[in-house]
């Protein structure tokens, strides 16, 4: 029993956990409650409770949009984890750039940045800059790993952006263009997650059973 207690309460592991997880999480939680209250006048319940609960609407409203955010978050998690623990050199740089792009898109999608707070063309500019950096710096790597998946992911996301920009000039109703635009973004996000997983696993030896 004493040996088990010692294994559980190892000072080094405890310090790492407290400094990397517990203290930052508590600080973020408290600052969010206080900061949003002072900055925007939100009550604690408005910050804590799910939006569907507060507005008393069905939990599946915005379902596909939320799943799309999950794709981006999954992509950035896979990319950053692999860059930190699995790869070095050019592969690490590729994963970091892919994680940056997924982080920007996840933040934009979740907080509706380009819809409400920042001009959409500024956001799109950053998307294009990071995407071009990935393509120019790692073209050979992309072709070797899975050029088709990258082409589809990039093409679908580009189609979503292009539709958003020109939808006012298209001879279709708003609902039709939104279905097409969001469909491109959704499948593009899933494709980006797939490509990210391929990059992360490329060159890694399978675990022997």
């Amino acid at each position: 029993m004493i040996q088990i207690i010692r294994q559980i309460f190892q000072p080094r592991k405890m310090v790492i956990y407290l400094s990397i997880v517990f203290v930052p999480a508590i600080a973020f939680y408290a600052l969010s409650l206080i900061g949003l209250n002072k900055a925007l006048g939100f009550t604690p319940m408005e910050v804590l409770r799910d939006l569907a609960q507060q507005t008393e609407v069905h939990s599946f409203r915005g379902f596909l949009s939320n799943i799309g955010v999950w794709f981006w978050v999954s992509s950035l998690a896979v990319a950053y984890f692999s860059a930190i623990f699995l790869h070095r050199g050019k592969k690490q740089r590729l994963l970091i750039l892919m994680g940056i792009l997924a982080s920007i898109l996840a933040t934009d999608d979740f907080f509706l940045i380009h819809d409400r707070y920042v001009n959409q063309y500024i956001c799109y500019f950053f998307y294009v800059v990071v995407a071009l950096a990935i393509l120019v710096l790692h073209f050979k790597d992309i072709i070797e790993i899975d050029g088709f998946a990258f082409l589809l992911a990039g093409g679908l996301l580009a189609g979503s952006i292009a539709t958003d920009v020109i939808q006012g000039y298209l001879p279709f109703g708003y609902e039709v263009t939104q279905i097409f635009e969001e469909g491109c973004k959704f499948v593009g996000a899933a494709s980006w997650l797939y490509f990210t997983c391929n990059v992360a696993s490329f060159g890694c030896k399978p675990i022997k059973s």
Side-chain angles (χ1 to χ4, degrees):
M1 178 61 71
I2 294 176
Q3 182 63 26
I4 292 174
I5 293 174
R6 286 178 177 174
Q7 285 182 319
I8 294 173
F9 297 99
Q10 296 181 42
R12 181 176 175 275
K13 290 184 177 180
M14 291 171 63
V15 169
I16 291 174
Y17 164 73
L18 290 171
S19 60
I20 294 179
V21 180
F22 188 81
V23 173
I26 288 291
F28 183 83
Y29 185 85
L31 289 172
S32 296
L33 287 176
I34 298 169
L36 289 175
N37 174 266
K38 290 186 176 181
L40 301 175
F42 289 160
T43 66
M45 288 299 99
E46 288 176 322
V47 179
L48 294 172
R49 297 183 71 216
D50 186 85
L51 183 61
Q53 289 179 311
Q54 296 183 50
T55 56
E56 297 183 353
V57 298
H58 201 286
S59 299
F60 276 80
R61 286 215 171 178
F63 167 73
L64 285 175
S65 179
N66 291 334
I67 296 298
V69 174
W70 286 7
F71 285 151
W72 293 126
V73 172
S74 299
S75 295
L76 70 90
V78 170
Y80 289 140
F81 179 88
S82 303
I84 294 170
F85 295 107
L86 299 181
H87 297 285
R88 293 293 180 269
K90 290 183 66 180
K91 188 72 65 59
Q92 183 183 47
R93 183 178 64 183
L94 172 57
L95 286 163
I96 290 173
L97 287 171
M98 293 176 63
I100 289 172
L101 183 58
S103 299
I104 296 172
L105 287 162
T107 304
D108 187 9
D109 261 9
F110 188 77
F111 293 105
L112 304 176
I113 302 297
H114 85 266
D115 293 295
R116 296 184 175 182
Y117 305 109
V118 179
N119 185 284
Q120 64 178 359
Y121 296 108
I122 295 176
C123 293
Y124 294 159
F125 173 77
F126 282 105
Y127 297 167
V128 172
V129 168
V130 179
L132 286 177
I134 293 171
L135 187 60
V136 171
L137 294 174
H138 297 280
F139 180 77
K140 291 182 179 179
D141 299 317
I142 290 168
I143 298 302
E144 181 183 8
I145 296 169
D146 195 337
F148 180 75
F150 180 86
L151 178 66
L152 262 292
L156 287 163
L157 295 174
S160 175
I161 292 174
T163 304
D164 189 31
V165 172
I166 66 172
Q167 61 180 329
Y169 304 97
L170 296 174
F172 309 108
Y174 180 74
E175 184 176 3
V176 174
T177 56
Q178 279 296 292
I179 290 173
F180 181 80
E181 177 194 340
E182 295 297 327
C184 285
K185 184 169 65 174
F186 184 86
V187 181
S191 302
W192 191 256
L193 174 57
Y194 174 80
F195 179 68
T196 304
C197 291
N198 278 353
V199 175
S201 62
F202 189 80
C204 293
K205 294 181 180 179
I207 298 174
K208 295 182 180 180
S209 57

